[in-house]
Amino acid sequence: MWKPFTAEKSAVMLFSKYPVPERSSLPQDLQVVLAETEEKAGFLPNVFATLSHRPEELRLFLAFYNNLMAERPGSNLSKADKEMIIVATSAENRCLYCIIAHSALHRIYSKNKILADQLAANWRHAELDGRQRAILEFAIELCHCRSPTPAHHQALGKWGLTEEDSWDIGAIVALFALSNRYAFLAEMKPNAEFHLFGRIDQPKA
């Protein structure tokens, strides 16, 4: 019979309900990725530690994430656009981890300290331009498992977004629907560092 995990079984359950393995026990390629991520960010995002519970799933998640979020020739979606999609759809799904973590990334990429909070509260009343609203109206249809209409596609085209861009929007919604549900499964908590990212100007050296 399955028994709930207890605090005695793992000290790291402060951010995940499931045991997190020692990093040294992970496959070498994942150890390298986690070390590089930690060095770049200054901390290891809890999502990566949580998903290391099943290393192969972490590897697949990272491959999908890196492919979608990378800047590619011909794409008309910026990093800020992608983070906007993640915040708005994660808010629709009520995923605390992804709202907090990706609001931080949106603030950094967009240089806008306010919009992510508006998206998290209610994207419909956020201060969006026409292009941003067309992107989110398309994304939210998919978030609620509805097929975007021809009018949604036409609205994207009006702002110079292509069918390949619409695929990227849909793939981001799909990946983070997965991520949202992992977060609920593991009762995952966001790193404290995310809360201030992009809010406070860093002193110049």
Side-chain angles (χ1 to χ4, degrees), residues 19-75:
V20 175
E22 293 291 334
R23 195 180 303 183
S24 59
S25 71
L26 297 174
Q28 185 62 34
D29 65 312
L30 291 179
Q31 290 187 46
V32 170
V33 169
L34 297 187
E36 290 176 347
T37 301
E38 188 171 42
E39 181 177 2
K40 182 177 180 180
F43 65 97
L44 182 66
N46 288 340
V47 62
F48 298 148
T50 297
L51 293 184
S52 72
H53 178 70
R54 289 193 176 176
E56 185 57 31
E57 291 177 23
L58 171 60
R59 184 182 286 112
L60 292 169
F61 179 85
L62 288 170
F64 198 175
Y65 177 90
N66 290 334
N67 180 68
L68 278 181
M69 304 307 284
E71 293 182 335
R72 294 197 302 275
S75 173

Side-chain angles (χ1 to χ4, degrees), residues 128-135 137 155 159:
L128 301 170
D129 61 28
R131 178 180 176 280
Q132 291 169 323
R133 192 165 296 278
I135 289 171
E137 288 177 348
W159 297 101

Side-chain angles (χ1 to χ4, degrees), residues 65-83 85 131 135 156 159-172:
Y65 177 90
N66 290 334
N67 180 68
L68 278 181
M69 304 307 284
E71 293 182 335
R72 294 197 302 275
S75 173
N76 295 299
L77 293 173
S78 67
K79 287 185 176 182
D81 291 333
K82 294 175 182 180
E83 298 297 340
I85 295 165
R131 178 180 176 280
I135 289 171
L156 293 181
W159 297 101
L161 295 158
T162 67
E163 287 300 305
E164 290 302 310
D165 295 322
S166 72
W167 180 283
D168 283 340
I169 294 169
I172 291 166

Side-chain angles (χ1 to χ4, degrees), residues 82-154:
K82 294 175 182 180
E83 298 297 340
M84 175 184 71
I85 295 165
I86 297 166
V87 175
T89 58
S90 294
E92 290 288 300
N93 291 330
R94 299 189 174 98
C95 177
L96 176 67
Y97 184 93
C98 291
I99 292 169
I100 298 299
H102 291 278
S103 287
L105 293 174
H106 182 270
R107 288 191 295 271
I108 290 168
Y109 293 136
S110 69
K111 311 299 183 187
N112 186 325
K113 298 179 182 180
I114 297 172
L115 182 56
D117 289 340
Q118 296 178 348
L119 295 170
N122 187 343
W123 71 270
R124 295 162 185 82
H125 294 282
E127 296 174 7
L128 301 170
D129 61 28
R131 178 180 176 280
Q132 291 169 323
R133 192 165 296 278
I135 289 171
L136 288 188
E137 288 177 348
F138 189 96
I140 295 298
E141 287 299 293
L142 293 168
C143 181
H144 289 291
C145 299
R146 298 189 292 259
S147 296
T149 65
H152 288 111
H153 285 274
Q154 290 165 8

Side-chain angles (χ1 to χ4, degrees), residues 13-18 182-189:
M13 287 176 200
L14 292 173
F15 65 80
S16 175
K17 182 178 180 179
Y18 288 80
Y182 267 128
F184 282 114
L185 171 66
E187 298 178 11
M188 194 160 51
K189 304 297 188 295

